[in-house]
Amino acid sequence: MGVTALILILALSVINTMVVRTSNRAPDDGYISLRYAENLTAGHGLRFNPGGERVEGFSSPLHVLGLAAVIEAGVESRAAGQLSSLVPAYLALMVVGWWGWRRFGLLWGSLGALAIALSQTFRYWARSGMETTLFALLITLALVAAAEGRWCAMGLAAGLVAVTRPEGVLYLAPLFIHAAVVHRVRNRTLKEWSIPALLAAGPFAAWFLFRMASF
């Protein structure tokens, strides 16, 4: 029953997103990220123009690198740009539906997922070609992992949040505080905290060192 409801909501969301147009233009930042990804896969490095100066003109390292990987795998660049926001949007929708059903029951979980699926804001960002839906997905995964007591998964999701948007690093401490409050963690050892903390800090630290050396 729950799986059937999720499939129906997802199908409705796909139709709603693709058929109901909220804007004739995607945000410029989506094109910027795509241009950087195209040049990276073409061997020009992280540059907006081939042979141009190395400038960090994009807002999401993870989004650009993910786009480059998809293009390198053979997906046409424009399709890769569209999928880069559509796929995370639908994954976030499914995570919300699954967690809502698990925590509050089929009815409330379905209503929560349906509300997102019909949201004008959801439609806009799902079609944007930007990292916004990826950012939302990773925060959702981090919160669900914290609620489930999956510390390493929470740490990794939090770390990826930090390299998805510039403000993502600000979410690290609140996510760990949330995990501690939810589970009233008092007796966990330093070692038990250190692995999730390293997973959270690692992606941001690696990108920070790379950007200092490259831009």
Side-chain angles (χ1 to χ4, degrees):
M1 180 75 175
V3 175
T4 302
L6 178 58
I7 292 173
L8 290 174
I9 291 172
L10 182 59
L12 175 62
S13 179
V14 171
I15 295 170
N16 191 44
T17 302
M18 300 308 295
V19 175
V20 181
R21 300 183 64 85
T22 57
S23 172
N24 291 325
R25 294 185 58 192
D28 291 340
D29 284 356
Y31 169 74
I32 293 171
S33 297
L34 187 59
R35 182 68 178 266
Y36 271 93
E38 288 174 336
N39 285 327
L40 180 60
T41 56
H44 303 301
L46 286 171
R47 292 180 169 89
F48 187 77
N49 292 314
E53 184 181 0
R54 280 181 175 267
V55 178
E56 189 183 2
F58 51 90
S59 58
S60 176
L62 186 62
H63 186 227
V64 170
L65 294 176
L67 275 171
V70 173
I71 294 171
E72 184 67 24
V75 179
E76 190 269 330
S77 60
R78 185 175 178 181
Q82 293 173 338
L83 291 172
S84 71
S85 57
L86 282 171
V87 172
Y90 298 142
L91 289 176
L93 178 67
M94 288 189 285
V95 171
V96 169
W98 171 81
W99 177 243
W101 298 334
R102 181 181 172 88
R103 190 69 180 269
F104 304 108
L106 178 61
L107 175 61
W108 291 109
S110 298
L111 288 176
L114 188 60
I116 295 173
L118 297 178
S119 166
Q120 181 176 350
T121 302
F122 176 87
R123 292 199 305 266
Y124 178 80
W125 292 113
R127 295 172 58 93
S128 70
M130 291 180 60
E131 72 278 357
T132 308
T133 54
L134 176 61
F135 191 61
L137 170 64
L138 290 170
I139 291 176
T140 303
L141 288 173
L143 291 171
V144 170
E148 291 284 295
R150 299 181 180 274
W151 309 108
C152 289
M154 181 203 71
L156 180 59
L160 294 177
V161 165
V163 291
T164 302
R165 287 286 308 164
E167 68 274 18
V169 67
L170 301 177
Y171 285 74
L172 296 181
L175 284 170
F176 274 79
I177 293 171
H178 167 75
V181 170
V182 166
H183 291 277
R184 295 180 177 85
V185 179
R186 296 177 181 176
N187 300 319
R188 297 186 68 84
T189 66
L190 180 61
K191 181 179 180 180
E192 289 173 317
W193 274 114
S194 63
I195 296 177
L198 287 172
L199 288 170
F204 179 78
W207 174 251
F208 179 80
L209 292 174
F210 175 82
R211 71 190 294 231
M212 290 295 290
S214 301
F215 300 109

